[in-house]
Amino acid sequence: MKVFHLSAECYPVAKVGGLADVVGALPKYQNQMGLQAAVCMPYYERKFVQENEFEVVFEASSLLGTQRFYFEILKEKTNILGFELFLVKIPGLLDRENVYSYPDETEQFIAYQIAFLDWINWSQQSPDLIHCHDHHSGLVPFLLEHSRLYHRLAQTPTILTIHNGQYHGAFSWAKLGLLPEIDLSKTGLLDWNGGINPLASAVKCCWKYTTVSPTYLEELTYQSNGLEYLFYLERAKGTGIINGIDTDIWNPKTDTMIPENFAIRTLAAGKQKNKAALCEKFNLSPDKPLISFIGRLVVEKGADLLPAAIRGSILAHPGGVNFVILGAGDVKTQDALLALHAEFPEQCNVFIGYDEVLAHLVYAGSDFLLMPSRVEPCGLNQLYALRYGTVPIVRTTGGLKDTVIDFGDEGGYGIRFVQASVADILHAVGRAVSLYETTPHLQLLRKRMMALDFSWDRSAKEYVNLYESLKPII
Ligand code: ADP
Ligand code: GLC
C-alpha cells in the first residue's frame, strides 16, 4: 500500500511543534509494518536541507490564479529518515526559512497542494491513499474529487488527521481564483461561515478523519473555533487515535542528548545526575523538587497562567520548590517570566527560545512537568516526560486526559487538575511537593510510568487498520 503523508512540518526537517514529531515518526513505523509510506512537504531553507543530499525528481510549472509558477520536487537521496521524503520547492514562495507566519501563507499552501497534485498526476503515480495533516493540505480531498484536472485520481481515498482544530487556514472568497479549475456547483464544500475554510472542507470531503486522541474527537464538537456544528454533523466519520512517541529518539537508555543514560533499574541515580546537570545550567539547587514547563508560550497551552501560578507556588512553599521554563511565544508572558526570574533567581529560571537538546535535558532532569493546557489535542510532552520518569502535572483535557491517570486513582502515576486556573495549579503543585517528600512512593510511580508503552507500534497499527477499512469502499 503506497501512502503519501502531506504536512507542513516533519522532524527533523522542520519542526515547530508536535505535528513534526508525528509526521517524522508515523511513516517510519508504517514502513516497518510493510507499507510504502512517504512524506511530501514544503521546502524550507533549513539545516536538514543543507546537510543532506537531494535530487530533483520532477519539475514543471503550474498556475496560481493567473500567475504561472515553477516548481521542483526534491527527493532526499538515501531515505535517511526511514521513509521517502519529498520537498516541494517553489522559488519566491516555498524556499524560505520559517514554516509559518508569512503574509502570503494562503498562496504558499495552495501552491504546495497544486504542485503535489500536479506532480503525482503528471508522473502517473497512483497512491493507494493520501493522508493529510491539518489545514495546510486541507484542500486536497476537495480538489481530487471536484477538479477536472485531477479526474484520474478522483477515487483516491483520503484521510485527514487533525492535530490542531483551532487553526483552519481560512481565507476570503475573493481568493477563489487561486484554486485550479473546479466544479463550481460544489463550492459549498469549500465554505464555512462565509469564507473558504480548508480545514472545514477537508472534514467534509475526506473519506475519514482522525483526531490525535479520543477525547479531542468529542471536544471538537464544542470547542473548535467555530467548526463545532460541522464536527457534530460529521462525527460518524471521525476516529480518535492517540499519538505514539518515536522511541529511537526519545529513549533515556540511548538518548545521546542527555548527560546520563538510564533505565528503570538505574532510575534513581540516572535522574539525579541529569537533574544535577540541569540545575547547574540554571543555577538552581538540585535538592528541591523541580517543576518544568516546555512549550509554546501561548494561551492554548495555558502559558499565560504560569507567571502567577509560579509566583504563588514559590510564596506558598518558600525555598521548597523550583521551576524551569523552556519556551517562546507571547511577549507579555515571556516578559512576566523573565521578571519572575529576576525576583526569585534561586527558584525560577527561564530559557526563552527553542532548543531541542535542552528539551531532552529538561525531560530527563526534572521531577515534574507542568502542562496547564486549555486545549491539548494529544500532547507529546507528557509522553516524553513519562518515558523519562518525570511526573506529568496536567490539566484534564484532550490527550492529557487520555494518557495521564492521577496517582490517587488505581494504577495512576501523574497529577491531574480540572480548571485552567491559578488556584488549580497551586493545588496541584502542593500535591507534587508532598509527593516529592515521600521518596519511596515517588520512585514507585516513576517505575510505573517508565514501564508504560506509548510507542508508535500500537498507534501506527490503528492507522493501518483504518486505511484497510477503506478498501471495501474502493
Ligand atoms: P504542540 O505541537 O501543540 O506545540 P506537543 O506537546 O504535541 O505540542 O509537542 C511539542 C513538541 O515541541 C515537543 O516535542 C516539545 O518537546 C517541543 N518543544 C516545544 N517548545 C520547545 C522549545 N522551546 N524548545 C524545544 N522543544 C520544544
Ligand atoms: C498539535 C497539538 C498537540 C499534538 C500535536 C501532534 O500541535 O497541539 O496536542 O500533540 O499536534 O499531534
Side-chain angles (χ1 to χ4, degrees), residues 23-301:
V23 177
L26 175 59
K28 181 172 75 177
Y29 286 85
Q30 290 182 329
N31 285 342
Q32 287 166 9
M33 294 168 67
L35 263 75
Q36 262 182 286
V39 170
C40 180
M41 67 187 291
Y43 177 100
Y44 307 104
E45 195 60 57
R46 289 189 163 216
K47 202 164 153 242
F48 182 89
V49 172
Q50 288 151 3
E51 287 177 354
N52 289 277
E53 268 197 71
F54 287 81
E55 61 188 329
V56 177
V57 291
F58 188 79
E59 53 189 320
S61 70
S62 196
L63 280 175
L64 183 65
T66 52
Q67 203 73 29
R68 184 154 289 280
F69 68 91
Y70 165 81
F71 69 90
E72 287 176 349
I73 305 291
L74 304 178
K75 181 183 177 302
E76 189 275 317
K77 276 185 167 175
T78 62
N79 295 350
I80 192 173
L81 301 179
F83 50 82
E84 289 186 325
L85 170 71
F86 298 96
L87 307 180
V88 178
K89 186 171 186 181
I90 306 178
L93 213 52
L94 293 179
D95 57 355
R96 307 174 190 163
E97 186 184 345
N98 293 332
V99 179
Y100 305 121
S101 301
Y102 291 106
D104 56 355
E105 199 170 86
T106 299
E107 286 75 7
Q108 286 185 298
F109 287 120
I110 294 177
Y112 157 60
Q113 296 173 82
I114 292 174
F116 166 74
L117 289 172
D118 283 353
W119 166 47
I120 55 167
N121 193 27
W122 292 337
S123 58
Q124 294 294 316
Q125 296 181 65
S126 302
D128 295 297
L129 190 134
I130 297 179
H131 191 148
C132 305
H133 295 265
D134 279 350
H135 71 79
H136 317 102
S137 49
L139 297 170
V140 166
F142 174 86
L143 291 174
L144 280 172
E145 277 194 61
H146 303 298
S147 171
R148 193 177 55 84
L149 303 179
Y150 308 118
H151 182 68
R152 188 182 72 81
L153 296 158
Q155 293 308 310
T156 312
T158 49
I159 299 259
L160 165 73
T161 291
I162 299 165
H163 300 260
N164 194 332
Q166 296 297 302
Y167 301 106
H168 307 161
F171 54 92
S172 154
W173 274 105
K175 291 194 174 186
L176 175 65
L178 294 175
L179 300 187
E181 192 184 329
I182 56 168
D183 176 350
L184 288 173
S185 71
K186 296 292 190 301
T187 50
L189 292 169
L190 292 169
D191 185 83
W192 194 257
N193 226 0
I196 298 181
N197 187 313
L199 188 70
S201 171
V203 172
K204 293 181 202 179
C205 300
C206 69
W207 290 36
K208 293 270 179 192
Y209 72 91
T210 70
T211 58
V212 286
S213 69
T215 293
Y216 192 55
L217 184 67
E218 302 307 329
E219 286 178 353
L220 285 173
T221 64
Y222 56 86
Q223 189 185 26
S224 48
N225 209 6
L227 298 189
E228 294 77 8
Y229 187 53
L230 176 66
F231 281 113
Y232 168 75
L233 291 176
E234 298 283 7
R235 173 65 188 75
K237 250 166 78 175
T239 315
I241 301 179
I242 203 87
N243 286 331
I245 61 175
D246 188 341
T247 44
D248 295 339
I249 296 169
W250 299 96
N251 183 350
K253 264 197 241 177
T254 52
D255 191 333
T256 52
M257 298 189 217
I258 57 174
E260 184 73 19
N261 289 121
F262 60 99
I264 294 184
R265 212 170 26 81
T266 50
L267 162 70
K271 288 267 331 156
Q272 204 183 16
K273 287 199 181 137
N274 287 303
K275 185 176 177 184
L278 177 61
C279 288
E280 195 185 321
K281 195 172 177 67
F282 282 104
N283 275 324
L284 299 171
S285 158
D287 303 325
K288 306 282 160 58
L290 178 60
I291 303 180
S292 299
F293 172 94
I294 300 177
R296 298 179 286 121
L297 298 175
V298 296
V299 170
E300 249 177 68
K301 299 284 176 193

Side-chain angles (χ1 to χ4, degrees), residues 15-19 21 163-164 243 250 294-296 300-301 326-328 351 353-359 363 371 376-382 384:
K15 169 168 168 177
V16 176
L19 169 62
D21 291 8
H163 300 260
N164 194 332
N243 286 331
W250 299 96
I294 300 177
R296 298 179 286 121
E300 249 177 68
K301 299 284 176 193
L326 165 59
F351 180 98
Y354 188 93
D355 188 328
E356 194 75 28
V357 177
L358 183 54
Y363 290 119
M371 298 181 72
E376 197 60 84
C378 176
L380 295 170
N381 297 19
Q382 81 281 11
Y384 299 144

Side-chain angles (χ1 to χ4, degrees), residues 334-355:
Q334 291 184 176
D335 290 347
L337 289 168
L338 290 169
L340 208 59
H341 167 59
E343 189 179 356
F344 302 104
E346 286 174 11
Q347 280 166 281
C348 171
N349 212 339
V350 181
F351 180 98
I352 300 295
Y354 188 93
D355 188 328

